[in-house]
């Protein structure tokens, strides 16, 4: 068997796809250009009347109004959390808890005000921090760096404060440490990623907050609380814990105000909101609708508050705070100042003049940024920039004329107030339109890279299809289709590297990889064209169409057309945002349709009926095979599984009538103790049932008879893993109810039991890799006879009864034949489990992976995983029965319908394990299964969250070789055919043994070619789905829903492709490892 060429070819094809994905992503998800410029006090932006007079000490561009400021960020403070409604008699847990804010706003209306604080999507914490400090709009791709933060190089508020001698003290979320290294005068960072920890960050801040405020050794103090956000992730907003957290924040604010001086500005802000499930990251109304509360002990506002709180964008906070504290506005800011905070204590005319000067500064700064940005980037439309320039010039000229008339006392107050109001509106129009232009055009696409990536992926799909057809037809396949293309790619990569070296330019690894991939693809197609003449390509080994009847030709075409039509329909649906949103229902429907079409095709081909005899012809009806009823039962079971899987779906906010499944929440969220206990017992019972089913299957095929370490692990390790998972579920579901010392024991157990599962599963996988053989061999001595174990009377055990005759490999007969002829002493070997040795290894591996993945999900989602295993089992049997009924003459080739149905099931269970291709639906809790404190690196939590998200992709990809192996495992013995009556011993000698999976080793070359063909078909279907997502994202990149629907779908599909392709390689590698062990086993047997 050619093992390494198969793996190398599949790895090369995966590299081609990866290069295409990387190239497209670099053109589609580019971040905006960040300017290196920064503002300074010496910039000529000071407007009249301050340009002719010196500003007060400590002021830049505008007079400083406050010497100190406290920014309290309550993470995920939704507007509804901060608003107080005294008319509500029975408020929800998150309502009317911040009563102190309401008290300040009503008792001191000119000192305090509540705003709707509109966050720009994506609503992830790091992106919001960037918006709150730079005044700019983070782009979509920045979501990927939310938990791998890097320092902000762009000009920002903290940099301006430090450059102008202000002491900035920070306490709270350690995300700020990565964004602003060495920027703080004093800092108290606390780990932020453990969303199950509601108190560590908040309690740490409260420990330092009041002493720091009282010390006075600060100018700006930032406190970032995380308890509300973590409570939302863990329990959701409608939970008693949320009421406790908000009450704690209310008391904190009450105490903080007592410690503030008259020269201090207090800002209480939420960086984003949260959904009804406690998540965030998207752009739904509840995610972008945060709260902002402004307070000072000196009057801030010239008028009372409006009836309904005003909505302001979050970027408006940056220029406002900068000018209030007397520092320059950051260079790249596109926010608009909150002019009402600059009214002062004078009359309406002086307040309006003051606001006009502030607007003038703000507009000059934005105009300077747009001019600088347009010089280095071409993504802002020229006609819109021209209109903005006209608006700005007109406002500045009108302001200059107005000031000249005011100084000359040429305007009476009524006319002056009207002119002032009109000019303020003019500046506001300019600033808001400038922000709108940037918002619409911020993503700077690179069309050439996008087209190149799309072309690479499309060529890779074509290569997979062509190679899958050639894999079993060419003797020199690996040399012509692998070696030469690899050489082409390496030569191109070397030439590009040398060219970069001679030109002294930086080496772009992505471009080099893309060119190398394109060159190797060209080499493949070139050698394919040169070695396969046109006649051979068109005709091949198939009979001429003229010699085949129309019905036979239609049957042959239908075998390919009907599964491909389902695949093409699924790919076409990727171009519709409605279908993408509803894909959780589309994928199961397509899977059920494909299976029903398969049954219909078998009926149309006449494979479900027995040949008609004279009696049936006379009566005019056909009788169905007995196997059809078993097939129909399997189809019914599949439809039931598909239906039941719909109970585990997560909701998207685009479907408002949808309600998320109750099974998605952990058992700890259940308040009914009886329901919690019943669900717990059900989950544990079904988990034990899975172990019983796997062990029964292995025992049935004789794979549990030996005393090898792997078999012993299956016997005793599997129940131990189930026990550890059950104990973890028990302590995790009651962790919040335990008290005192019991709480400490529970915290230890919550970490210890997952690590026990990790350790046991790792031991099992290592044993599987070291010795994957689950075969028990019996050696005896006979004076004469066949290598088949002779009849020894009544079987002594059930194992002997089931396995004494079958599962003896024909190649073993041939290898022993010469020894049997040379001597009078003949060796007889009975091998138990040899006929299912490949499948047994895969089943054991899938069970271990299933344990790990179930551990990373909430307890009740284990029911979805059991449905996954049952549906996969049913699909394998449907595939086996359909091949048996169709009389497939090519057992080494897996039909297309089987591969497509397998991948549709993987997509179905992506949704049925509580996931959606959107960022708010990611299960971040998985990163802390077995970890009580924060992680030291981001790699491990990324792996845990990725395994949780793509659990179905992992299981179906690793289990893909079962599509080839299962029909051999379920092989029916041909001895069931009617033969002439013979003596028992004579009949026994002529019985053809059930070779099962050992038939694969009769033709090692065919076996390796079949694995390669299966892998290529799997990659083709995956690649076609990916190509559809890529094309949809590229064509619809200016669509209204591109960042809400198509871009997240592309990212999830790309990551799913990477995970699936790697796991596919691992699954095929495991089969080859077993084949290597089988070869070693036979070589040892021959030496006995």
């Amino acid at each position: 068997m050619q093992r390494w060429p198969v793996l190398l070819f599949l790895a090369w094809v995966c590299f081609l796809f990866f290069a295409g994905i990387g190239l497209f992503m670099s053109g589609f998800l580019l971040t905006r250009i960040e300017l290196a410029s920064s503002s300074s006090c010496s910039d000529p932006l000071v407007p009249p009347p301050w340009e002719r007079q010196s500003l007060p000490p400590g002021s830049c561009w505008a007079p400083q109004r406050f010497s100190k400021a406290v920014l309290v960020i309550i993470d995920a403070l939704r507007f509804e959390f901060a608003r107080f409604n005294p008319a509500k008699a029975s408020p929800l847990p998150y309502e009317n808890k911040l009563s102190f804010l309401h008290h300040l706003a009503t008792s001191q209306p000119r000192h305090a005000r509540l705003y709707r604080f509109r966050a720009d999507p994506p609503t992830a914490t790091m992106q919001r921090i960037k918006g709150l400090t730079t005044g700019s709009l983070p782009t979509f791709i920045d979501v990927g760096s939310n938990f791998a933060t890097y320092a902000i190089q762009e000009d920002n508020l903290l940099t301006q404060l430090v450059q102008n001698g202000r002491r900035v003290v920070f306490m709270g979320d350690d995300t700020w440490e990565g964004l602003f290294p060495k920027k703080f005068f004093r800092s108290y960072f606390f780990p932020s990623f453990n969303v199950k920890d509601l108190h560590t960050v908040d309690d740490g801040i409260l420990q330092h907050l009041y002493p720091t405020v009282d010390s006075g050794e600060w100018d700006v103090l930032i406190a970032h609380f995380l308890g509300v956000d973590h409570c939302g992730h863990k329990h959701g907003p409608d939970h008693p814990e949320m009421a406790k957290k908000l009450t704690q924040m209310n008391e904190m604010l009450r105490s903080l105000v007592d410690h503030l001086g008259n020269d201090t500005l207090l800002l209480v802000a939420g960086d984003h909101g949260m959904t009804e499930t406690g998540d965030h990251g998207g752009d739904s109304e509840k995610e972008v609708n945060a709260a902002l509360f402004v307070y000072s002990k000196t009057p801030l506002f010239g008028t009372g508050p409006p009836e309904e709180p005003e909505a302001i964008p979050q970027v408006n906070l940056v220029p406002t705070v900068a000018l209030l504290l007397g520092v320059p506005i950051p260079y790249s800011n596109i926010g608009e100042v909150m002019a009402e905070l600059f009214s002062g204590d004078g009359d309406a005319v002086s307040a309006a003049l003051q606001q006009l000067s502030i607007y003038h500064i703000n507009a000059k700064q934005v105009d300077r940024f747009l001019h600088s940005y347009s010089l280095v980037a071409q993504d802002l439309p020229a006609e819109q920039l021209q209109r903005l320039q006209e608006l700005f010039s007109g406002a500045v000229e009108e302001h200059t004329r107005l000031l000249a008339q005011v100084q000359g006392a040429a305007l009476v107050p009524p006319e002056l107030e009207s002119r002032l109001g009109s000019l303020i509106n003019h500046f506001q129009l300019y600033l808001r339109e400038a922000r709108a232009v940037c918002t619409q055009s911020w993503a700077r696409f690179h069309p050439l890279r996008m087209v190149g990536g799309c072309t690479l992926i499309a060529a890779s799909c074509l290569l997979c299809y062509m190679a899958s057809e050639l894999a079993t037809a060419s003797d020199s396949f690996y040399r012509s289709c692998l070696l030469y293309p690899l050489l082409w790619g390496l030569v191109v990569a070397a030439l590009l590297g040398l060219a970069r070296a001679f030109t002294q330019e930086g080496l772009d690894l992505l471009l080099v990889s893309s060119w190398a991939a394109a060159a190797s693809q060209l080499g493949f197609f070139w050698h394919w064209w040169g070695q396969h003449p046109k006649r051979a390509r068109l005709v091949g080994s198939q009979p001429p169409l003229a010699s085949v009847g129309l019905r036979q030709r239609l049957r042959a075409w239908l075998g390919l057309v009907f599964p491909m039509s389902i695949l093409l329909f699924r790919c076409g649906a990727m171009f519709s945002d409605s279908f993408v949103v509803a894909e959780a229902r589309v994928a199961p429907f397509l899977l059920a349709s494909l299976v029903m079409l398969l049954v219909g095709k078998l009926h149309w081909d006449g494979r479900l009926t027995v040949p008609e005899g004279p009696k049936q012809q006379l009566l005019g009806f056909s009788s169905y095979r007995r196997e059809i009823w078993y097939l129909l039962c399997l189809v019914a079971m599949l439809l039931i599984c598909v239906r039941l899987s719909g109970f585990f779906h997560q909701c998207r906010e685009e479907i408002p009538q949808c309600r998320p499944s109750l099974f998605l929440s952990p058992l700890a969220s259940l308040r009914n103790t009886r329901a919690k206990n019943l669900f717990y017992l059900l989950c544990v019972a079904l988990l034990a049932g899975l172990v019983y089913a796997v062990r029964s299957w292995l025992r049935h095929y004789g794979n549990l008879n030996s005393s090898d370490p792997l078999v012993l692990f299956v016997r005793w390790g599997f129940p131990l893993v189930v026990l550890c998972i059950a104990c973890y579920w028990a302590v995790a579901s009651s962790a919040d109810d335990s008290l005192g010392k019991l709480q400490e024991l529970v915290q230890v157990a919550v970490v210890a039991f997952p690590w026990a599962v990790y350790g046991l599963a790792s031991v099992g996988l290592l044993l599987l890799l070291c010795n994957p053989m689950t075969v028990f061999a019996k050696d005896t001595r006979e004076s004469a006879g066949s290598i088949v174990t002779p009849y020894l009377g009544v079987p002594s055990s059930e194992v002997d009864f089931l396995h004494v005759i079958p599962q003896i490999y024909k190649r073993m007969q041939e290898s022993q034949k010469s020894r049997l002829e040379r001597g009078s002493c003949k060796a007889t070997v009975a091998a138990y489990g040899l006929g299912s040795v490949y499948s047994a290894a895969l089943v054991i591996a899938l069970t271990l992976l299933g344990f790990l993945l179930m551990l990373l999900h909430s307890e009740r989602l284990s029911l979805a995983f059991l449905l996954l295993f049952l549906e996969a089992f049913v699909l394998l049997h449907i595939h086996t029965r359909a091949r048996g009924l169709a009389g497939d003459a090519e057992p080494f080739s897996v039909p297309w319908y089987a591969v497509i149905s397998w991948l549709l099931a993987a997509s179905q269970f992506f949704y049925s394990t509580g996931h959606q291709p959107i960022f708010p639906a990611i299960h971040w809790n998985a990163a802390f299964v077995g970890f009580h404190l924060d992680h030291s690196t981001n790699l491990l939590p990324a792996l845990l969250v990725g395994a949780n998200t793509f659990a179905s992709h992992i299981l179906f990809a690793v289990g893909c070789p079962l599509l080839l192996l299962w029909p051999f495992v379920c092989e029916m013995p041909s001895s069931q055919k009617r033969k002439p009556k013979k003596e028992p011993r004579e009949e026994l000698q002529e019985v053809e043994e059930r070779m099962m999976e050992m038939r694969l080793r009769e033709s090692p070359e065919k076996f390796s070619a079949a694995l390669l063909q299966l892998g290529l078909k799997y990659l083709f279907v995956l690649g076609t789905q990916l190509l559809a997502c890529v094309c949809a994202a590229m064509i619809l990149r200016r669509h209204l829903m591109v960042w809400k629907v198509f871009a997240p779908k592309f990212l999830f599909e790309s990551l799913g492709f990477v995970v699936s392709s790697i796991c596919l390689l691992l699954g095929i590698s495991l089969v080859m490892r077993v084949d290597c062990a089988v070869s070693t086993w036979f070589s040892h047997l021959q030496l006995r």
Side-chain angles (χ1 to χ4, degrees), residues 26 28 113 138 142 316 318 322 328 346 383 387 451 460 479 498 571 610 642 781 791 883 963 979:
S26 68
F28 179 68
R113 187 164 297 180
D142 285 340
N316 290 11
V318 173
E383 61 276 7
R387 167 173 164 71
V451 172
S460 301
R479 185 178 69 253
L498 289 173
C571 293
V610 297
V642 168
R781 294 287 179 176
Y791 183 75
R883 292 195 66 171
L963 293 171
K979 296 183 180 180

Side-chain angles (χ1 to χ4, degrees), residues 95-278:
E95 293 179 328
N96 290 0
K97 296 300 181 293
L98 297 180
S99 57
F100 183 65
L101 300 184
H102 176 71
H103 166 73
L104 289 177
T106 53
S107 62
Q108 306 177 57
R110 295 189 60 194
H111 295 251
R113 187 164 297 180
L114 179 66
Y115 294 90
R116 292 182 183 271
F117 207 31
R118 303 288 294 183
D120 295 294
T123 51
T125 295
M126 194 198 75
Q127 280 65 43
R128 294 298 84 239
I129 294 174
K130 285 185 175 181
L132 288 169
T133 55
T134 64
S136 188
L137 302 178
T139 49
F140 183 85
I141 190 60
D142 285 340
V143 173
S145 58
N146 192 38
F147 299 104
T149 59
Y150 52 89
I152 295 179
Q153 305 296 331
E154 201 170 19
D155 193 17
N156 59 81
L157 185 59
L158 266 70
T159 300
Q160 289 297 332
L161 289 168
V162 172
Q163 287 178 352
N164 288 275
R166 309 301 165 88
R167 296 165 298 178
V168 182
V169 175
F170 178 85
M171 51 189 70
D173 185 353
D174 61 355
T175 303
W176 292 70
E177 182 179 17
L179 292 174
F180 305 102
K182 301 179 179 179
K183 286 289 193 298
F184 300 110
F185 177 74
R186 188 179 296 115
S187 58
Y188 306 95
F189 296 113
F190 302 96
S192 62
F193 193 42
N194 188 356
V195 293
K196 293 184 179 181
D197 183 0
L198 309 186
H199 307 294
T200 298
V201 177
D202 293 2
D203 292 347
I205 295 174
L206 294 175
Q207 180 182 355
H208 299 283
L209 179 61
Y210 308 120
T212 302
V213 173
D214 294 337
S215 70
E217 296 180 354
W218 57 278
D219 296 304
V220 175
L221 191 151
I222 303 172
H224 191 156
F225 292 86
L226 287 176
V228 172
D229 178 68
H230 287 187
C231 184
H233 285 297
K234 186 176 181 181
H235 301 291
D238 192 8
H239 193 276
E241 285 294 329
M242 182 61 76
K244 294 179 183 178
K245 263 293 149 193
L246 291 173
T247 302
Q248 182 189 30
M249 294 296 100
N250 188 62
E251 295 305 316
M252 177 271 297
L253 292 171
R254 189 187 304 274
S255 300
L256 178 61
V257 167
D258 293 337
H259 290 76
L260 297 181
N262 293 335
D263 62 343
T264 303
L265 174 69
L266 173 64
L267 301 163
V268 181
D271 57 342
H272 52 75
M274 68 169 64
T275 64
E276 289 302 325
T277 58

Side-chain angles (χ1 to χ4, degrees), residues 259-300:
H259 290 76
L260 297 181
N262 293 335
D263 62 343
T264 303
L265 174 69
L266 173 64
L267 301 163
V268 181
D271 57 342
H272 52 75
M274 68 169 64
T275 64
E276 289 302 325
T277 58
D279 299 311
H280 59 89
D283 61 350
S284 66
E285 180 62 26
K286 292 182 178 180
E287 291 172 278
V288 301
N289 198 20
L292 171 66
F293 183 79
V294 182
Y295 172 76
S296 171
K297 290 186 176 181
T298 56
L300 271 173

Side-chain angles (χ1 to χ4, degrees), residues 837-1086:
V837 64
Y838 297 102
S839 297
L842 282 172
V843 168
I844 293 172
L846 290 172
T847 307
L848 290 171
L849 290 174
F851 288 147
L852 291 173
L853 295 173
M854 279 188 273
L855 184 71
L856 297 177
H857 288 74
S858 62
E859 300 91 341
R860 288 182 285 181
L861 279 178
S862 60
L863 307 179
F865 278 92
L866 295 173
L867 273 178
L868 182 152
F869 283 112
L870 178 60
E871 185 171 313
F873 179 81
V874 171
L875 277 175
L876 289 171
H877 275 277
I878 290 175
H879 163 52
T880 300
R881 288 289 168 174
R883 292 195 66 171
L885 290 170
D888 197 343
E890 187 55 52
F892 286 87
S893 177
V894 178
W896 283 103
Y897 72 80
V899 180
I900 294 175
S901 63
W902 196 252
L903 274 163
L904 284 174
S907 297
Q908 171 202 343
F909 278 99
F910 169 78
Y911 295 99
S912 296
T913 49
H915 297 101
Q916 286 280 352
I918 51 177
F919 294 106
I922 295 177
H923 300 176
W924 300 112
N925 289 342
F928 296 96
V929 176
F931 297 90
H932 180 60
L933 300 176
D934 202 14
H935 293 277
S936 58
T937 65
N938 293 308
L939 179 60
L940 186 56
L943 289 175
L944 293 175
V945 173
N948 173 284
T949 304
F950 299 104
S952 63
H953 296 72
I954 293 171
L955 291 174
F956 279 95
V958 172
C960 178
L962 289 175
L963 293 171
L964 173 65
L965 303 172
W966 206 260
F968 293 93
V969 175
C970 301
E971 178 187 55
M972 297 300 293
S974 59
S975 57
Q976 291 179 353
K977 300 177 182 179
R978 293 190 176 184
K979 296 183 180 180
K981 186 70 176 178
K982 297 185 180 181
E983 293 295 326
R985 180 171 290 274
E986 183 181 358
E987 182 179 355
L988 186 63
Q989 297 288 343
E990 293 186 3
V991 168
E992 182 182 349
E993 300 164 11
R994 290 177 60 187
M995 303 294 293
M996 301 171 68
E997 289 179 347
M998 289 300 102
R999 291 194 184 279
L1000 293 165
R1001 286 187 57 86
E1002 291 181 334
S1003 304
E1005 299 302 323
K1006 284 187 177 181
F1007 188 14
S1008 59
L1011 283 174
L1012 175 61
Q1013 186 183 57
L1014 174 61
L1016 289 170
K1017 287 183 176 181
Y1018 200 86
L1019 291 174
F1020 170 80
V1021 178
L1022 279 174
T1024 305
Q1025 295 175 169
L1026 174 65
L1027 178 63
C1029 289
V1030 166
C1031 292
M1034 181 176 65
I1035 295 172
L1036 303 173
R1037 62 185 181 275
R1038 295 297 181 188
H1039 191 277
L1040 179 64
M1041 305 293 284
V1042 61
W1043 302 117
K1044 192 180 187 69
V1045 175
F1046 297 111
K1049 176 60 179 173
F1050 158 68
L1051 284 178
F1052 276 81
E1053 198 72 30
S1054 299
L1055 291 173
F1057 179 91
V1058 173
V1059 172
S1060 297
S1061 57
I1062 293 174
C1063 291
L1064 173 68
L1065 290 174
L1066 293 177
I1068 293 178
S1069 299
L1070 178 59
V1071 173
M1072 294 182 171
R1073 174 68 187 93
V1074 177
D1075 185 75
C1076 182
V1078 171
S1079 299
T1080 304
W1081 186 82
F1082 275 115
S1083 63
H1084 290 167
L1085 190 66
Q1086 290 175 347

Side-chain angles (χ1 to χ4, degrees), residues 431-469:
L431 291 169
R432 291 170 187 177
E433 287 202 8
R435 180 175 178 272
V437 168
C438 292
T439 302
Q440 294 171 1
S441 307
W442 216 247
R444 189 172 66 91
F445 298 113
H446 197 305
L448 190 59
R449 288 197 174 201
M450 293 167 64
V451 172
C454 187
T455 304
L456 272 179
I457 295 173
S460 301
C461 291
L462 179 62
L463 186 149
C464 284
Y465 183 82
M466 293 170 56
S468 68
E469 298 298 320

Side-chain angles (χ1 to χ4, degrees), residues 9-72:
F9 193 93
L10 291 175
W12 170 61
V13 172
C14 292
F15 164 75
L16 300 180
F17 278 108
F18 295 166
I21 292 172
L23 186 61
F24 180 85
M25 194 175 292
S26 68
F28 179 68
L29 296 177
L30 281 180
T31 57
R32 62 178 176 82
I33 293 178
E34 294 185 355
L35 302 182
S37 305
S38 61
S39 300
S40 67
C41 287
S42 58
D43 292 340
L45 297 181
V46 181
W50 299 322
E51 60 184 2
R52 297 186 185 91
Q53 63 187 30
S54 60
L55 292 170
S59 300
C60 279
W61 297 5
Q64 175 186 0
R65 188 165 185 192
F66 292 97
S67 60
K68 293 180 181 290
V70 176
L71 173 60
V72 176

